[in-house]
Amino acid sequence: MIGRRHFLAGLGAVAVVGFNPRSRTWISVAEAAPFDRIPPLDGVLRMDPASLSAAAVDVGNIVHNTPIAVLEPGSVEDIQKMIRYCRRHGIKVGPRGMAHTTFGQSQVEAGLSIETKTLNTIHSVTSTSADVDAGVTWKDLLTQIVPMGLTPPALTGFTGLSFGGTLSVGGISANFGNGAQVDYVRELDIVTGEGEFRHCSAHENKDLFEVVLAGLGQCGIITRAVVELIPAKPMVRAYTFTYTDNATFFRDFRTLINREELDELYNFGIPNGSGGFMYQLNAAKYFDPSHPPDTATLFRGLSVDPAAGQFQDVPYLDYLLRIDSLVDFFRTQGLWDGVLHPWFDIFLPERTVEQYVGEVTPTLTFDDVGAAGFLLLFAKKRENFTRPFLRIPETEKWFYLFDILTANSVAGPDPAFQARMIARNNRLFEKARRMGATRYPIGVVEFSQLDWILQYGREWPVFLSRKRQFDPDGILTPGPGIFDGFR
Ligand SMILES: Cc1cc2nc3c(=O)[nH]c(=O)nc-3n(C[C@H](O)[C@H](O)[C@H](O)COP(=O)(O)OP(=O)(O)OC[C@H]3O[C@@H](n4cnc5c(N)ncnc54)[C@H](O)[C@@H]3O)c2cc1C
């Protein structure tokens, strides 16, 4: 017989309390300590290395924050249970849609990543609305509703994005007369940072509704949304006109947006092959085949001859999915997955947009966009933007989304290129902010606490107080780093 004290001493003073016959190992005091069981789930909680490293990737390929577990929820209750669980243990939680933001916004270091894509039911469609889970993509909805003659009023260029993800950032379309996707949301289901389920709208739980729309996941996880739909025309006439001069381009662009006769208008800035960029003005008019658009009338009185424009008539759904097809093509060429995408995205006011674009574009080289990148400019009508947490310049009738959609020319890490592009973005953002711009926080700019406070301006105190109200322990969505300095 050996006494317990002698037995422990024989094991090198490790406090052993038992034996696990399955693994045939001794159990130490630490291992046998009472633990908090994971609640029963409808979905799956993954901890394997492949799932963890997959959750540490986004389209930017710059930030890689690895979670300690990945939840594939089988129900909204799973999200509630796991948020309560994480809250008890001070574990951060990051909702992740399609991870198409570019600077770690959807990632969570040493926390729980919630993959919303497993919540992907389109619950119902009427002639004026769609009721969808947060993990549904806009593309999923479009393929169902466009054949029914319906469309959302605002769509991003690429549509393989989740409802939860775009409604958390804003969702800006090339359709210059309308608001953002967040402006066409009627109802939301949300799980707060306390694990509470809330149904909300402009009339019910309004504070939560407002702060979650374009609220970067700070106050709740969107689990379901009811969004507006409108009738869709079956065809689109898509025009392109080429410009070489900034002032001429802006003069014509402004003439066209102020006439409000077209449906979409945007600029693609593309390397011109001799070290500079050309402006490719893209315009779209939706139409019924019985009433095709009159090109000469639409483009009258511009500095370019209407006949100089090229156009194509395309079925509406094909037109909406054209950037999805482009991304698929980049993928097949090895120009998408694993490629660094240090994107730069800002909102500029009318009064400075021409000067800013005119000064910045000539400083850019081919490297600044790459083979699979381009510059983008959308005009937007201010009065249709109604959500306070989508931070846009507050003056004038029009404001603009300007993007430098940089793609490195090869896949894989490239620390020198990455550092150069982040420094470029920081510098260009400083210049833009001095000219009245705000950041569209889908891209890559290093932001300090002060930068976030400036970004939210007079909404900052409201944002902070709602964060404290709906996520009192500050566990939700650390990716953007907005409240790092506040508890
Ligand atoms: C090719 C391409 C084209 C694009 N074109 C446009 C465009 O035309 N207009 C435009 O506005 N944007 C555009 N974007 C940007 C895109 O709208 C955003 O990156 C959007 O967030 C992507 O959705 P996602 O599902 O990938 O979100 P994610 O990147 O997964 O998430 C975005 C943020 O929201 C949070 N989040 C995700 N799901 C939820 C949820 N359910 N509840 C609360 N928070 C959540 C995440 O934690 C993260 O902080 C484009 C992006 C790409 C890659």
Side-chain angles (χ1 to χ4, degrees), residues 21-52:
R22 251 167 117 199
S23 61
R24 300 204 59 77
T25 51
W26 297 102
I27 303 296
S28 70
V29 171
E31 283 160 339
F35 62 92
D36 192 2
R37 273 189 190 282
I38 299 289
L41 299 170
D42 299 318
V44 184
L45 192 66
R46 298 196 186 277
M47 281 163 238
D48 59 288
S51 301
L52 300 185

Side-chain angles (χ1 to χ4, degrees), residues 59 94-102 105-107 116 134 155-158 160-166 168-173 212 216-217 220-223 323 327 336 343 376 378 401 440 442 477 480:
V59 161
R96 188 166 179 272
M98 301 306 286
H100 276 50
T101 33
T102 50
Q105 287 90 335
S106 63
Q107 299 174 21
T116 62
L155 277 169
T156 49
F158 176 73
L161 308 169
S162 73
F163 274 81
T166 55
S168 299
V169 299
I172 311 296
S173 73
V212 164
L216 296 171
I221 296 186
I222 300 168
T223 57
I323 307 293
V327 168
W336 188 258
W343 283 10
L376 200 57
F378 289 178
L401 171 63
Y440 188 29
I442 60 170
T477 320

Side-chain angles (χ1 to χ4, degrees), residues 237 239 241 252 255-256 259 261-262 283 285 291-311 313:
R237 183 162 289 183
Y239 296 91
F241 291 88
D252 283 359
T255 301
L256 291 170
R259 280 183 190 156
E261 294 168 355
L262 289 158
K285 183 76 187 162
H291 290 92
D294 178 354
T295 302
T297 306
L298 284 173
F299 297 96
R300 68 194 177 279
L302 301 181
S303 35
V304 289
D305 178 356
Q310 300 189 334
F311 71 82
D313 291 345

Side-chain angles (χ1 to χ4, degrees), residues 134-379:
V136 171
T137 66
W138 292 86
K139 184 175 178 179
D140 295 336
L141 182 68
L142 290 173
T143 50
Q144 181 167 330
I145 65 172
V146 173
M148 299 164 68
L150 297 169
T151 184
L155 277 169
T156 49
F158 176 73
T159 66
L161 308 169
S162 73
F163 274 81
T166 55
L167 298 183
S168 299
V169 299
I172 311 296
S173 73
N175 189 319
F176 57 92
N178 61 18
Q181 289 177 324
V182 284
D183 293 295
Y184 303 102
V185 178
R186 290 187 185 164
E187 296 167 49
L188 290 174
D189 284 352
I190 289 164
V191 177
T192 68
E194 293 178 290
E196 298 298 316
F197 175 83
R198 296 268 185 275
H199 180 76
C200 51
S201 68
H203 313 290
E204 185 183 354
N205 293 312
K206 184 171 178 243
D207 284 358
L208 184 58
F209 184 67
E210 271 188 350
V211 77
V212 164
L213 290 171
L216 296 171
Q218 297 307 303
C219 295
I221 296 186
I222 300 168
T223 57
R224 188 163 163 174
V226 178
V227 297
E228 284 177 32
L229 300 181
I230 57 172
K233 296 254 168 65
M235 295 294 292
V236 180
R237 183 162 289 183
Y239 296 91
T240 54
F241 291 88
T242 304
Y243 292 79
T244 49
D245 171 57
N246 193 61
T248 315
F249 164 79
F250 270 99
R251 194 166 53 244
D252 283 359
F253 197 75
R254 286 192 172 110
T255 301
L256 291 170
I257 55 175
N258 283 307
R259 280 183 190 156
E260 302 192 36
E261 294 168 355
L262 289 158
D263 292 303
E264 296 188 10
L265 202 63
Y266 59 96
N267 178 51
F268 259 141
I270 317 168
N272 63 10
S274 48
F277 285 82
M278 66 178 185
Y279 295 70
Q280 188 192 68
L281 187 148
N282 286 254
K285 183 76 187 162
Y286 312 147
F287 70 100
D288 278 310
S290 55
H291 290 92
D294 178 354
T295 302
T297 306
L298 284 173
F299 297 96
R300 68 194 177 279
L302 301 181
S303 35
V304 289
D305 178 356
Q310 300 189 334
F311 71 82
Q312 244 192 321
D313 291 345
V314 195
Y316 186 64
L317 185 58
D318 293 358
Y319 177 78
L320 297 183
L321 301 183
R322 70 201 183 287
I323 307 293
D324 298 70
S325 307
L326 183 66
V327 168
D328 287 345
F329 171 73
F330 287 156
R331 261 206 175 100
T332 62
Q333 303 302 301
L335 292 171
W336 188 258
D337 297 311
V339 169
L340 290 169
H341 288 114
W343 283 10
F344 178 71
D345 313 270
I346 51 169
F347 295 121
L348 281 155
E350 169 75 56
R351 66 179 185 282
T352 55
V353 65
E354 181 176 342
Q355 183 193 347
Y356 185 85
V357 174
E359 287 176 2
V360 167
T361 307
T363 69
L364 302 175
T365 64
F366 177 81
D367 240 21
D368 279 294
V369 293
F374 44 85
L375 313 180
L376 200 57
L377 186 77
F378 289 178

